[in-house]
Amino acid sequence: MPRPTVAALIDTANAEALRRILAGDPWLIDVVAARDVLPRLGERRILHAGPPIEWARMCGPMRGAVAGIAVFEGWARDLAEAEHLAETGAFAFEPNHHHDCVGPMTGMTTPSQMLLVVENRAFGNRAYCAINEGLGKVMRFGGNDAEVLDRIRWLTAEFGPALGAALRQLGGIALKPLIARGLTMGDEMHQRNVGCSSLLLRQLAPAMARTSPGGEALARALAFIAGNDQFHLNVAMAMGKAIMDPVRGIEGSTVVTAMCRNGTDFGIHVSATGDRWFTAPVEMPQGLYFPGFSAADANPDMGDSAIVETVGLGGFAMAAAPAVIGFVGAGNASDALAITRLMREITLAENPEWAIPALDQQGVPTAIDIRLVVETGIAPTINTGIAHRKPGVGQVGAGVVKAPLGCFTAALEAVAETMGVA
Amino acid sequence: MPPEPSDGLPPVGATRLLADGPKVINVGLDSFATELASQDRAVVHVDWVPPAGGDPRIARLLAKLST
């Protein structure tokens, strides 16, 4: 019997990768303190978005967030001392992805923060993401003043425990059907989460009323969710991580298991090469700016949120969200359809459980194959927020960014090497 | 020699091209298609680029890894 070709072995491996993605069964089950579930997250260790990076190469908003979270944790008395400590090597930095975590934009994760827990019940793994802080001046965009830190303290002391109690009372919330409904309500789960945030609130509110002491604390919690269109983004991110982690380490598979950026570098993981990073300089988003800001204020792209695109949502599901394409300055509704069709060119299949009405119920493009990206030169399209390049300012716009092709070419060469092909 | 249109037969070959005008399919660089379209010529553009951006080494690698 002839030996299968390398290409056939890759196709078989990719079929298994696709099977695991489609079989994923993610549930939002709890909210917990990071130190209780991340055993390798010690004191003065800060997890950040994107591939590995040290203080010297961090962009402005990432530095601002590091200083802010150090003050929040009590590792520094003020921002100036925090920056000095960072410069002198007092903090250890590691990617969220090394700890089963993801984080939007700057993506700070430290021991005291409360994390959303998503469990993939088909495979038994869990993934974590901090709670979305809301809009405006927030730490994920580099904000670090008293207002920002007070909000994180409230999320930690009051809101997070209340949300966790409600989720435990509910026995968790199934996320696959939630996403399916959100896609029919105009969400793509990256820059638009209005539908899914509202659906979450409908499920959570009765349970929060039952488990909360009531009164003003309950009112604050419900108002916080209701007032944050992007509340569901961090849930979607933990879900993406929980779905993709079981896809890691399949010998020969060329499926992308993570895409992320730290404001300096863009990085990807590919199934066959496990935890090895393939990086390239991150690109600048193209988009629209809030009044008073322009492209001159923008920081290059940031965040682990491209895990949403990695599972077929965000830019890949643009056709489901005609309102988003205008918000990110990428054209009209017809352009949204074209972007989703283009992303289908670099994926192995469609996810039949996540259908897009405007494409006659076609499923979202699923399982990015680095071979297709390199062959076609079509870069994954990512919807993103735009941070100010200086620390402490916050969000200045929203747009679209392309993943740099260099990551995918480097990954292809590495996979070829593992298969004995040169 | 191709028959002339005056023969009463349908035009063929170069004669037909001159009589009916060209039907253009443009592959690759879209500026050719844009130029024709600006002169009110019908043109179908095929968005195509060489595999791997034209890098022969990566293209060879891709050929070995793809069915």
Side-chain angles (χ1 to χ4, degrees):
Chain A
M1 198 171 147
R3 290 174 61 190
T5 64
V6 170
L9 288 170
I10 292 175
D11 287 345
T12 301
N14 283 349
E16 173 60 14
L18 179 64
R19 185 195 72 76
R20 293 186 195 181
I21 295 172
L22 298 180
D25 184 17
W27 287 64
L28 176 62
I29 60 166
D30 206 348
V31 179
V32 296
R35 65 164 48 87
D36 294 338
V37 289
L38 304 180
R40 293 182 293 113
L41 181 60
E43 290 299 307
R44 299 196 173 218
R45 183 170 294 271
I46 298 173
L47 308 186
H48 58 78
I53 191 165
E54 293 303 319
W55 174 261
R57 294 185 68 240
M58 282 183 189
C59 63
M62 182 76 84
R63 287 182 172 205
V66 164
I69 206 70
V71 173
F72 162 76
E73 287 287 354
W75 299 336
R77 281 167 296 186
D78 54 36
L79 297 174
E81 184 184 40
E83 287 185 22
H84 174 71
L85 287 169
E87 279 170 10
T88 53
F91 306 134
F93 298 108
E94 266 196 278
N96 282 308
H97 272 289
H98 292 186
H99 292 258
D100 303 327
C101 285
V102 281
M105 299 304 290
T106 59
M108 297 291 103
T109 307
T110 50
S112 303
Q113 284 179 279
M114 297 296 283
L115 305 180
L116 303 162
V117 185
V118 172
E119 182 176 72
N120 184 342
R121 290 186 171 170
F123 296 92
N125 62 297
R126 292 181 177 184
Y128 308 93
C129 185
I131 299 165
N132 192 286
E133 307 159 78
L135 305 176
K137 200 190 297 181
V138 287
M139 185 166 285
R140 71 177 183 279
F141 283 99
N144 56 15
D145 66 11
E147 176 190 338
V148 172
L149 299 188
D150 282 347
R151 188 186 301 109
I152 296 178
R153 290 186 186 106
W154 174 74
L155 290 172
T156 303
E158 184 175 295
F159 180 79
L163 180 58
L167 286 166
R168 293 190 296 275
Q169 201 269 334
L170 284 169
I173 293 176
L175 294 176
K176 251 187 168 174
L178 188 90
I179 297 287
R181 289 197 73 187
L183 286 167
T184 70
M185 297 168 74
D187 284 0
E188 41 69 88
M189 291 81 195
H190 199 160
Q191 283 303 307
R192 193 175 195 274
N193 281 278
V194 182
C196 281
S197 296
S198 304
L199 293 172
L200 268 183
L201 181 58
R202 280 173 30 165
Q203 293 198 52
L204 285 168
M208 291 179 86
R210 279 187 214 106
T211 55
S212 154
E216 277 307 304
L218 175 60
R220 276 193 295 272
L222 295 176
F224 178 73
I225 301 174
N228 180 8
D229 288 349
Q230 285 288 74
F231 180 76
H232 177 264
L233 169 62
N234 296 32
V235 177
M237 289 176 57
M239 176 198 72
K241 177 75 174 157
I243 290 174
M244 293 312 299
D245 272 356
V247 185
R248 299 154 75 90
I250 301 172
E251 188 179 350
S253 172
T254 52
V255 168
V256 175
T257 54
M259 299 191 290
C260 57
R261 47 280 197 242
N262 56 33
T264 303
D265 300 317
F266 191 106
I268 65 169
H269 279 155
V270 174
S271 179
T273 48
D275 294 337
R276 183 170 167 188
W277 288 104
F278 302 97
T279 63
V282 74
E283 298 195 4
M284 191 68 83
Q286 302 297 313
L288 296 179
Y289 290 87
F290 300 159
F293 296 104
S294 70
D297 300 306
N299 196 76
D301 197 30
M302 275 197 304
D304 291 326
S305 52
I307 194 72
V308 170
E309 275 78 7
T310 313
V311 290
L313 301 171
F316 284 55
M318 194 85 94
V324 158
I325 190 107
F327 178 62
V328 298
N332 297 309
S334 57
D335 299 306
L337 302 179
I339 289 172
T340 293
R341 289 193 180 108
L342 194 64
M343 294 302 99
R344 181 66 183 88
E345 298 284 317
I346 55 171
T347 49
L348 294 173
E350 294 152 15
N351 185 337
E353 292 186 88
W354 289 345
I356 299 176
L359 287 177
D360 298 336
Q361 302 301 327
Q362 175 185 310
V364 298
T366 301
I368 303 166
D369 184 347
I370 58 170
R371 295 178 302 176
L372 297 174
V373 174
V374 174
E375 181 184 348
T376 61
I378 298 171
T381 294
I382 296 161
N383 294 346
T384 188
I386 304 174
H388 198 286
R389 61 189 169 81
K390 292 181 181 169
V393 179
Q395 184 173 8
V396 296
V400 168
V401 71
K402 300 281 188 188
L405 291 172
C407 306
F408 299 86
T409 307
L412 185 85
E413 292 180 285
V415 174
E417 199 176 320
T418 68
M419 306 290 286
V421 174
Chain B
M1 285 286 290
E4 293 299 316
S6 57
D7 294 345
L9 298 171
V12 296
T15 306
R16 181 175 174 183
L17 184 67
L18 291 171
D20 299 346
K23 291 182 171 58
V24 181
I25 299 172
N26 181 66
V27 180
L29 289 176
D30 60 1
S31 56
F32 294 121
T34 307
E35 188 60 33
L36 284 169
S38 72
Q39 297 175 41
D40 293 329
R41 294 291 176 187
V43 56
V44 173
H45 176 63
V46 178
D47 189 8
W48 179 86
V49 292
D55 183 326
R57 187 177 65 83
I58 299 298
R60 273 196 299 275
L61 206 56
L62 265 177
K64 292 175 184 171
L65 300 179
S66 305
T67 43

